[in-house]
Amino acid sequence: EDQVTQSPEALRLQEGESSSLNCSYTVSGLRGLFWYRQDPGKGPEFLFTLYSAGEEKEKERLKATLTKKESFLHITAPKPEDSATYLCAAHTGFQKLVFGTGTRLLVSP
Amino acid sequence: NAGVTQTPKFQVLKTGQSMTLQCAQDMNHEYMSWYRQDPGMGLRLIHYSVGAGITDQGEVPNGYNVSRSTTEDFPLRLLSAAPSQTSVYFCASSYARATDGYTFGSGTRLTVV
């Protein structure tokens, strides 16, 4: 069974304190690994797609990396506006996205 | 460019009532899908469509119907609402290769009492 697990469930950081979120996956035939940001009361907002092991993508203070078993979302010098829930999803085939349960990030000033 | 528009934003239903959640996109995306989001669980796929006239079931399709008569619209019908269908529903759309990910609507929060 395809499965995506995110850790930690929640993470509290001080502004400027860098950290990483983990997304481990067990899927048959990974087509892509997506990262999304979700703010309270809103829909997920697309951040990155990673396709192959070793690939990295960056956007402002965020960098996503991919290995054959997991993906990391590195947050460098976070700001309070980075507070959100971060979701990862494995694209396993034709219109099939398997989501993790997310990491709730809180960045305090 | 509105993206993906969902209506209504909030709805309360009584057990046994039926209703339709509306979803429209203006990006000419081929793929559209419906997900539900429940506390402690990841987003789960209900139904999806790869183009007008073509739909298929996702992970949790029971109690829901869909149709896709146009590229733009993909309504989700609850046939006879049950308390287990209390959830937040998201509609999403993408191009065929999904290289830019899926674009999600802002969601419909449904409560069944």
Side-chain angles (χ1 to χ4, degrees), chain B residues 4-90:
Chain B
V4 177
T5 303
Q6 290 185 238
T7 56
K9 292 190 180 303
F10 301 94
Q11 183 70 49
V12 178
L13 288 179
K14 293 183 178 179
T15 297
Q17 287 185 317
S18 62
M19 79 160 294
T20 300
L21 308 185
Q22 300 292 342
C23 175
Q25 54 92 8
D26 61 359
M27 297 170 285
N28 204 30
H29 283 168
E30 298 96 332
Y31 294 168
M32 296 186 75
S33 48
W34 278 99
Y35 290 84
R36 61 177 290 174
Q37 187 173 40
D38 301 294
M41 304 187 73
L43 285 145
R44 292 181 293 168
L45 181 64
I46 304 171
H47 284 287
Y48 66 97
S49 169
V50 301
I54 306 170
T55 64
D56 206 346
Q57 296 181 352
E59 179 185 357
V60 288
N62 293 340
Y64 308 95
N65 270 357
V66 292
S67 61
R68 183 110 178 257
S69 57
T70 67
T71 299
E72 295 79 18
D73 300 299
F74 191 44
L76 178 71
R77 298 182 189 84
L78 278 70
L79 309 173
S80 177
S84 60
Q85 293 179 304
T86 294
S87 187
V88 181
Y89 292 84
F90 289 101

Side-chain angles (χ1 to χ4, degrees), chain A residues 1 34 36 38 41-46 49 51 57 87 91 93-101, chain B residues 31-33 35 37 40-43 45 48-50 57 90 97-102 104-106:
Chain A
E1 181 182 346
F34 295 164
Y36 284 88
Q38 186 174 24
K42 296 190 176 181
E45 177 186 347
F46 173 73
T49 305
Y51 289 102
K57 288 192 177 174
L87 304 173
H91 192 205
F94 209 51
Q95 272 283 32
K96 304 289 187 182
L97 280 185
V98 179
F99 280 86
T101 53
Chain B
Y31 294 168
M32 296 186 75
S33 48
Y35 290 84
Q37 187 173 40
M41 304 187 73
L43 285 145
L45 181 64
Y48 66 97
S49 169
V50 301
Q57 296 181 352
F90 289 101
R97 287 200 62 214
T99 52
D100 294 328
Y102 289 40
F104 282 81
S106 58

Side-chain angles (χ1 to χ4, degrees), chain A residues 11-73:
Chain A
L11 180 63
R12 187 165 190 158
L13 300 174
Q14 291 293 317
E15 185 171 4
E17 179 186 3
S18 301
S19 188
S20 296
L21 313 183
N22 177 263
C23 170
S24 63
Y25 60 90
T26 306
V27 300
S28 54
L30 181 73
R31 290 189 165 193
L33 192 292
F34 295 164
W35 280 98
Y36 284 88
R37 170 190 172 127
Q38 186 174 24
D39 293 298
K42 296 190 176 181
E45 177 186 347
F46 173 73
L47 293 172
F48 305 109
T49 305
L50 302 167
Y51 289 102
S52 57
E55 187 175 2
E56 299 183 353
K57 288 192 177 174
E58 291 188 62
K59 180 179 180 179
E60 296 181 356
R61 295 176 293 281
L62 301 176
K63 183 170 79 172
T65 61
L66 182 66
T67 73
K68 289 185 178 180
K69 293 184 177 182
E70 57 192 349
S71 177
F72 293 92
L73 185 65

